[in-house]
Amino acid sequence: MNKLKYLLYLFAGLISVSIASCDKYDTIVMGQDFAPVNSLVTNFRQLVYVEYRNGKARVWGPCADRVESSVEDSHVMVNSDLDSLVIFAYGYAIEDSLNVFQGSLSVNSSHPYALYLSNLSLRSDAGPAIQSQGSSDCFFVLPPKSQNIIYGDVAFEGSVIFDGEGSLSVESQSGTALSARGSITCSYPVVVSLVSSSADGIHSDNGNIKIADGTWTIAASRHAFSTAAGQVILNGGKIQASAKGGSFVSSAGGKGLVASGTSCVGVSALKSDVDEDMRQFVWQVEMSNLMLDADSLVTIMRDPNFAGNPVPLTTFTPAFSFQSPWVLVSDSLVTEVDDVIISAN
């Protein structure tokens, strides 16, 4: 009898240790350890890990058996009806320059979910590297000090809300770097770089693009910001954007751009003409109605060879707003390989 009691006590103790360890581990992974204070995702608790390693992937964790998942090499699809799903993706599908593995993550959730990227590296040359197939909102979390590198499109069928303090680099060769059918919102100090070699930098089909914080660098082949039916609202953060073949903001619905309190708004203007006698370049700055505060100070700068060291050319106060197109006639200091930047403070 005593032996039976001992075994029962031992079994109960092992269960309590296991539960305590699991709870502690989950708390470390989620909540304010991986997101700022007042983060929007601290109540998401149903945890699933997606790990990428050497061309392979696995789905595991406390709630892995509560979602449907399929894995083919480094291509992962997760289907879920959990009401507080957290997908914590990490690892790499890229070994080195000679052994490049293709990897992707696709999520179809019937409820809003949180997607944590912690030092994740993915490459997908066929289809999006990260995509949300359902219409549910995605809370896109970049944990502090994390550096995430994505080669391929990042696309969401619903809205996407950025959270965290880490960094994300997206480089797309065949499509828009970051797109959503719904809105795209950021009010946290993330660091995001979006590069598209053939399309837009960031695009929303049916919502607004609103950036209130963070450092955003966008280099697009077509438009830096693009909306089909919404508005681009920049009211904070630091934004540096360039568009080789289009405009800084393209808004098919005609709602354009509103900027207030943004520390830097940039555009890579294309050279439209050259006055050889006066050695001047004429630049056409395409902007869809930039709205500025009455006391805003606008500085036009040039960045030789896109080196990241802009040099001021002129400073003025636009009173309240100015309409596109706006033409800058520069002196001979500006060359074809310079980035012409508009800074609004």
Side-chain angles (χ1 to χ4, degrees):
M1 186 67 179
N2 290 334
K3 185 175 181 181
L4 178 60
K5 287 183 178 180
Y6 173 76
L7 290 174
L8 290 174
Y9 283 130
L10 178 62
F11 182 68
L14 289 174
I15 291 177
S16 64
V17 170
S18 177
I19 293 175
S21 299
C22 181
D23 288 345
K24 181 179 179 181
Y25 188 56
D26 292 350
T27 302
I28 292 174
V29 169
M30 296 179 293
Q32 294 180 359
D33 293 296
F34 272 78
V37 177
N38 300 322
S39 171
L40 299 171
V41 296
T42 53
N43 293 324
F44 287 72
R45 309 300 298 178
Q46 310 277 20
L47 179 61
V48 174
Y49 293 102
V50 178
E51 178 188 20
Y52 295 87
R53 197 72 65 196
N54 293 325
K56 299 293 182 182
R58 65 170 179 148
V59 178
W60 66 285
C63 296
D65 58 347
R66 299 185 60 190
V67 300
E68 295 180 3
S69 62
S70 62
V71 179
E72 182 178 351
D73 295 328
S74 282
H75 299 279
V76 178
M77 177 175 289
V78 176
N79 294 286
S80 171
D81 59 2
L82 299 179
D83 59 0
S84 61
L85 173 66
V86 175
I87 295 180
F88 190 92
Y90 64 99
Y92 57 91
I94 307 169
E95 187 174 16
D96 55 46
S97 60
L98 298 178
N99 300 289
V100 178
F101 300 119
Q102 299 290 305
S104 63
L105 173 60
S106 178
V107 180
N108 188 350
S109 175
S110 58
H111 297 279
Y113 68 98
L115 174 60
Y116 282 69
L117 302 188
S118 182
N119 298 318
L120 175 67
S121 294
L122 285 182
R123 176 186 292 273
S124 177
D125 294 335
I130 296 177
Q131 65 176 329
S132 175
Q133 294 186 334
S135 59
S136 298
D137 295 343
C138 172
F139 292 86
F140 201 152
V141 185
L142 305 175
K145 299 181 181 180
S146 67
Q147 297 181 350
N148 304 281
I149 303 174
I150 308 298
Y151 297 99
D153 306 348
V154 176
F156 298 88
E157 290 294 314
S159 296
V160 56
I161 302 97
F162 279 85
D163 196 332
E165 298 177 349
S167 68
L168 170 69
S169 174
V170 180
E171 183 174 336
S172 174
Q173 297 293 326
S174 58
T176 296
L178 172 65
S179 64
R181 288 195 179 275
S183 60
I184 301 173
T185 307
C186 178
S187 57
Y188 288 95
V190 296
V191 178
V192 178
S193 172
L194 304 173
V195 178
S196 174
S197 300
S198 61
D200 299 330
I202 181 171
H203 173 83
S204 171
D205 278 348
N206 299 305
N208 295 329
I209 299 174
K210 184 176 182 180
I211 296 177
D213 202 347
T215 300
W216 294 71
T217 304
I218 303 173
S221 174
R222 194 163 52 192
H223 308 297
F225 292 87
S226 174
T227 63
Q231 189 174 47
V232 178
I233 303 170
L234 309 177
N235 58 6
K238 181 178 181 180
I239 299 165
Q240 182 66 54
S242 61
K244 291 183 178 179
S247 59
F248 175 66
V249 171
S250 173
S251 179
K255 296 184 178 180
L257 167 70
V258 173
S260 175
T262 301
S263 63
C264 181
V265 178
V267 57
S268 176
L270 294 179
K271 185 185 68 172
S272 59
D273 196 9
V274 179
D275 187 332
E276 295 182 356
D277 294 334
M278 298 185 64
R279 295 179 56 81
Q280 292 180 326
F281 294 116
V282 179
W283 300 76
Q284 188 86 358
V285 181
E286 297 287 347
M287 307 192 78
S288 302
N289 187 15
L290 175 62
M291 303 297 294
L292 299 166
D293 294 336
D295 58 350
S296 294
L297 189 65
V298 175
T299 302
I300 307 299
M301 298 178 287
R302 60 182 285 262
D303 186 3
N305 298 305
F306 296 83
N309 297 306
V311 178
L313 293 176
T314 184
T315 299
F316 64 95
T317 301
F320 181 71
S321 66
F322 61 88
Q323 305 288 327
S324 66
W326 186 78
V327 178
L328 166 66
V329 181
S330 70
D331 58 24
S332 59
L333 292 175
V334 181
T335 69
E336 291 183 75
V337 293
D338 285 354
D339 195 14
V340 175
I341 302 166
I342 296 179
S343 175
N345 295 306

